[in-house]
Amino acid sequence: MEEEISLNSDDVLDYIKNNVNTYDTIEISFNRIYLPGEVLGIEIDGEEKVESLRLMMQLNGDLVNDTIQVDLVRIKDDILEIRHTQDEKSTIINVEA
């Protein structure tokens, strides 16, 4: 099952914080960068306002398949699209400018 939603950049952070779990598959497109991978961990700093939202990911690329850490707060204004796959459900998030 596939669902498509549109969110602003702040709502994307809330979506990631509330819906993405360890071992989910996530594909992030920002600027001219595409990061497909498996979520290994999520670290959130800040209580009321998210100051840092870091995803530890194992990349699924042919040329690059390394483990990286991405702080989504730092790139939130550059994110174009995110595809989140959990079990049999896939959600495509289009980020509004």
Side-chain angles (χ1 to χ4, degrees), residues 51-96:
E51 296 172 7
S52 179
L53 177 60
R54 294 180 302 277
L55 289 181
M56 179 71 70
M57 296 174 58
Q58 175 68 45
L59 296 181
N60 296 337
D62 291 334
L63 299 174
V64 179
N65 56 4
D66 211 355
T67 301
I68 63 165
Q69 185 172 5
V70 179
D71 188 348
L72 296 179
V73 172
R74 296 184 81 181
I75 64 167
K76 73 177 185 176
D77 293 330
D78 298 324
I79 297 173
L80 303 172
E81 182 181 275
I82 294 177
R83 179 184 295 262
H84 172 225
T85 305
Q86 184 178 51
D87 299 324
E88 299 294 320
K89 181 182 177 193
S90 183
T91 304
I92 300 171
I93 304 166
N94 295 309
V95 182
E96 301 171 343

Side-chain angles (χ1 to χ4, degrees), residues 1-51:
M1 182 174 145
E2 190 168 276
E3 175 185 16
E4 190 167 338
I5 59 175
S6 294
L7 300 173
N8 66 33
S9 58
D10 290 323
D11 290 339
V12 167
L13 297 180
D14 288 335
Y15 176 89
I16 298 291
K17 182 177 153 184
N18 297 321
N19 297 297
V20 176
N21 298 310
T22 305
Y23 307 118
D24 287 357
T25 301
I26 195 162
E27 301 169 21
I28 304 171
S29 298
F30 66 101
N31 281 344
R32 294 183 180 191
I33 299 171
Y34 173 69
L35 299 174
E38 180 180 348
V39 177
L40 300 177
I42 301 171
E43 296 178 14
I44 302 168
D45 292 336
E47 292 293 320
E48 294 176 17
K49 181 181 176 191
V50 177
E51 296 172 7

